[in-house]
CSV table of all heavy atoms in Angstrom, one decimal:
chain,number,residue,atom,x,y,z
A,1,PRO,N,-9.4,189.6,-45.7
A,1,PRO,CA,-9.0,189.1,-44.3
A,1,PRO,C,-7.8,190.0,-43.8
A,1,PRO,O,-6.9,190.4,-44.5
A,1,PRO,CB,-8.6,187.7,-44.4
A,1,PRO,CG,-8.2,187.6,-45.9
A,1,PRO,CD,-9.0,188.5,-46.6
A,2,ILE,N,-7.8,190.3,-42.5
A,2,ILE,CA,-6.7,191.0,-41.9
A,2,ILE,C,-6.0,190.0,-40.9
A,2,ILE,O,-6.7,189.7,-39.9
A,2,ILE,CB,-7.3,192.2,-41.1
A,2,ILE,CG1,-7.9,193.2,-42.1
A,2,ILE,CG2,-6.1,193.0,-40.4
A,2,ILE,CD1,-8.7,194.3,-41.3
A,3,SER,N,-4.9,189.7,-41.1
A,3,SER,CA,-4.1,188.8,-40.2
A,3,SER,C,-3.8,189.5,-39.0
A,3,SER,O,-3.4,190.7,-39.0
A,3,SER,CB,-2.8,188.3,-40.9
A,3,SER,OG,-3.1,187.6,-42.0
A,4,ILE,N,-4.0,188.9,-37.8
A,4,ILE,CA,-3.8,189.5,-36.6
A,4,ILE,C,-2.6,188.9,-35.8
A,4,ILE,O,-2.6,187.7,-35.8
A,4,ILE,CB,-5.1,189.5,-35.7
A,4,ILE,CG1,-6.2,190.4,-36.3
A,4,ILE,CG2,-4.8,189.9,-34.3
A,4,ILE,CD1,-7.4,190.3,-35.5
A,5,ASP,N,-1.7,189.7,-35.3
A,5,ASP,CA,-0.8,189.1,-34.2
A,5,ASP,C,-0.8,190.1,-33.1
A,5,ASP,O,-1.3,191.2,-33.2
A,5,ASP,CB,0.6,188.9,-34.9
A,5,ASP,CG,1.2,190.1,-35.4
A,5,ASP,OD1,1.4,191.1,-34.6
A,5,ASP,OD2,1.6,190.2,-36.6
A,6,SER,N,-0.2,189.7,-32.0
A,6,SER,CA,-0.3,190.5,-30.8
A,6,SER,C,0.8,191.5,-30.6
A,6,SER,O,1.0,192.2,-29.6
A,6,SER,CB,-0.3,189.6,-29.6
A,6,SER,OG,0.7,188.7,-29.5
A,7,SER,N,1.7,191.5,-31.6
A,7,SER,CA,2.9,192.4,-31.5
A,7,SER,C,2.4,193.9,-31.8
A,7,SER,O,1.4,194.1,-32.4
A,7,SER,CB,4.0,192.1,-32.5
A,7,SER,OG,3.5,192.3,-33.8
A,8,ALA,N,3.2,194.8,-31.4
A,8,ALA,CA,2.9,196.2,-31.6
A,8,ALA,C,2.8,196.5,-33.1
A,8,ALA,O,1.8,197.2,-33.5
A,8,ALA,CB,4.0,197.1,-30.9
A,9,SER,N,3.7,196.1,-33.8
A,9,SER,CA,3.7,196.3,-35.3
A,9,SER,C,2.4,195.7,-35.9
A,9,SER,O,1.8,196.2,-36.8
A,9,SER,CB,5.0,195.9,-36.0
A,9,SER,OG,5.2,194.6,-35.8
A,10,GLY,N,2.1,194.4,-35.5
A,10,GLY,CA,1.0,193.7,-36.0
A,10,GLY,C,-0.3,194.4,-35.6
A,10,GLY,O,-1.2,194.5,-36.5
A,11,SER,N,-0.4,194.8,-34.4
A,11,SER,CA,-1.7,195.5,-34.0
A,11,SER,C,-1.8,196.8,-34.8
A,11,SER,O,-3.0,197.2,-35.1
A,11,SER,CB,-1.7,195.7,-32.5
A,11,SER,OG,-0.6,196.5,-32.1
A,12,ASP,N,-0.7,197.6,-35.0
A,12,ASP,CA,-0.8,198.8,-35.7
A,12,ASP,C,-1.3,198.6,-37.1
A,12,ASP,O,-2.1,199.4,-37.6
A,12,ASP,CB,0.6,199.5,-35.8
A,12,ASP,CG,1.0,200.1,-34.5
A,12,ASP,OD1,0.2,200.2,-33.6
A,12,ASP,OD2,2.3,200.3,-34.3
A,13,ARG,N,-0.9,197.6,-37.8
A,13,ARG,CA,-1.4,197.3,-39.1
A,13,ARG,C,-2.9,196.9,-39.1
A,13,ARG,O,-3.6,197.4,-40.0
A,13,ARG,CB,-0.6,196.1,-39.7
A,13,ARG,CG,0.8,196.4,-40.1
A,13,ARG,CD,1.3,195.2,-41.0
A,13,ARG,NE,1.5,194.0,-40.3
A,13,ARG,CZ,2.5,193.6,-39.6
A,13,ARG,NH1,3.6,194.5,-39.5
A,13,ARG,NH2,2.6,192.5,-39.0
A,14,VAL,N,-3.4,196.2,-38.1
A,14,VAL,CA,-4.7,195.9,-38.0
A,14,VAL,C,-5.6,197.1,-37.8
A,14,VAL,O,-6.5,197.4,-38.5
A,14,VAL,CB,-5.0,194.9,-36.9
A,14,VAL,CG1,-6.5,194.7,-36.6
A,14,VAL,CG2,-4.3,193.6,-37.2
A,15,ILE,N,-5.1,198.0,-36.8
A,15,ILE,CA,-5.8,199.3,-36.5
A,15,ILE,C,-5.9,200.1,-37.8
A,15,ILE,O,-7.0,200.7,-38.1
A,15,ILE,CB,-5.1,200.1,-35.4
A,15,ILE,CG1,-5.1,199.2,-34.1
A,15,ILE,CG2,-5.7,201.5,-35.3
A,15,ILE,CD1,-6.5,198.9,-33.6
A,16,SER,N,-5.0,200.1,-38.6
A,16,SER,CA,-4.9,201.0,-39.8
A,16,SER,C,-5.8,200.5,-40.9
A,16,SER,O,-6.3,201.2,-41.7
A,16,SER,CB,-3.6,201.2,-40.3
A,16,SER,OG,-3.0,200.0,-40.8
A,17,LYS,N,-6.1,199.2,-40.8
A,17,LYS,CA,-6.9,198.5,-41.9
A,17,LYS,C,-8.4,198.4,-41.5
A,17,LYS,O,-9.2,198.2,-42.5
A,17,LYS,CB,-6.3,197.2,-42.3
A,17,LYS,CG,-5.0,197.3,-42.9
A,17,LYS,CD,-4.5,195.9,-43.2
A,17,LYS,CE,-3.1,195.9,-43.9
A,17,LYS,NZ,-2.5,194.5,-44.2
A,18,LEU,N,-8.8,198.4,-40.3
A,18,LEU,CA,-10.2,198.4,-39.9
A,18,LEU,C,-10.9,199.6,-40.5
A,18,LEU,O,-10.5,200.7,-40.5
A,18,LEU,CB,-10.3,198.3,-38.4
A,18,LEU,CG,-9.8,197.0,-37.7
A,18,LEU,CD1,-9.8,197.1,-36.2
A,18,LEU,CD2,-10.8,195.9,-38.2
A,19,SER,N,-12.1,199.2,-41.0
A,19,SER,CA,-12.9,200.3,-41.7
A,19,SER,C,-13.6,201.3,-40.7
A,19,SER,O,-13.7,201.0,-39.5
A,19,SER,CB,-14.0,199.6,-42.5
A,19,SER,OG,-15.1,199.1,-41.6
A,20,LEU,N,-13.9,202.4,-41.2
A,20,LEU,CA,-14.6,203.4,-40.4
A,20,LEU,C,-15.9,202.8,-39.9
A,20,LEU,O,-16.3,203.1,-38.7
A,20,LEU,CB,-14.9,204.7,-41.2
A,20,LEU,CG,-15.6,205.8,-40.5
A,20,LEU,CD1,-14.8,206.2,-39.3
A,20,LEU,CD2,-15.9,207.0,-41.5
A,21,GLY,N,-16.5,201.9,-40.6
A,21,GLY,CA,-17.7,201.3,-40.1
A,21,GLY,C,-17.5,200.5,-38.9
A,21,GLY,O,-18.3,200.4,-37.9
A,22,PHE,N,-16.3,199.9,-38.7
A,22,PHE,CA,-16.0,199.2,-37.5
A,22,PHE,C,-16.0,200.1,-36.3
A,22,PHE,O,-16.6,199.8,-35.3
A,22,PHE,CB,-14.6,198.5,-37.7
A,22,PHE,CG,-14.1,197.7,-36.5
A,22,PHE,CD1,-14.4,196.4,-36.3
A,22,PHE,CD2,-13.4,198.4,-35.5
A,22,PHE,CE1,-13.9,195.7,-35.2
A,22,PHE,CE2,-12.9,197.7,-34.4
A,22,PHE,CZ,-13.2,196.4,-34.2
A,23,TRP,N,-15.3,201.2,-36.4
A,23,TRP,CA,-15.1,202.2,-35.3
A,23,TRP,C,-16.5,202.8,-35.0
A,23,TRP,O,-16.8,203.0,-33.8
A,23,TRP,CB,-14.1,203.2,-35.7
A,23,TRP,CG,-12.8,202.6,-35.9
A,23,TRP,CD1,-12.1,202.5,-37.2
A,23,TRP,CD2,-11.9,202.0,-35.0
A,23,TRP,NE1,-11.0,201.9,-37.0
A,23,TRP,CE2,-10.8,201.5,-35.7
A,23,TRP,CE3,-11.9,201.7,-33.6
A,23,TRP,CZ2,-9.7,200.9,-35.1
A,23,TRP,CZ3,-10.9,201.1,-33.0
A,23,TRP,CH2,-9.8,200.6,-33.8
A,24,VAL,N,-17.3,203.2,-36.0
A,24,VAL,CA,-18.6,203.8,-35.8
A,24,VAL,C,-19.5,202.8,-35.0
A,24,VAL,O,-20.2,203.2,-34.0
A,24,VAL,CB,-19.3,204.1,-37.1
A,24,VAL,CG1,-20.7,204.6,-36.8
A,24,VAL,CG2,-18.5,205.3,-37.8
A,25,SER,N,-19.4,201.6,-35.3
A,25,SER,CA,-20.3,200.5,-34.6
A,25,SER,C,-20.0,200.4,-33.2
A,25,SER,O,-20.8,199.9,-32.4
A,25,SER,CB,-20.1,199.2,-35.4
A,25,SER,OG,-20.7,199.2,-36.6
A,26,MET,N,-18.8,200.8,-32.8
A,26,MET,CA,-18.4,200.7,-31.4
A,26,MET,C,-19.3,201.6,-30.4
A,26,MET,O,-19.3,201.3,-29.3
A,26,MET,CB,-16.9,201.0,-31.2
A,26,MET,CG,-16.0,199.8,-31.6
A,26,MET,SD,-14.3,200.1,-30.9
A,26,MET,CE,-13.7,198.3,-31.1
A,27,THR,N,-19.9,202.6,-31.0
A,27,THR,CA,-20.7,203.5,-30.3
A,27,THR,C,-22.2,203.1,-30.4
A,27,THR,O,-23.1,203.8,-29.9
A,27,THR,CB,-20.5,204.9,-30.6
A,27,THR,OG1,-20.7,205.1,-32.1
A,27,THR,CG2,-19.2,205.4,-30.3
């Protein structure tokens, strides 16, 4: 699980942990 918060540092951590599959699926 990736804990999410709305702060800049929190979102940066989430972005760095999301898999390549997540980003590929966006298209």
Side-chain angles (χ1 to χ4, degrees):
I2 299 172
S3 296
I4 292 179
D5 64 57
S6 59
S7 67
S9 60
S11 61
D12 286 345
R13 286 193 297 272
V14 174
I15 295 301
S16 68
K17 290 179 181 179
L18 288 170
S19 72
L20 180 57
F22 178 91
W23 302 108
V24 172
S25 293
M26 282 194 162
T27 53

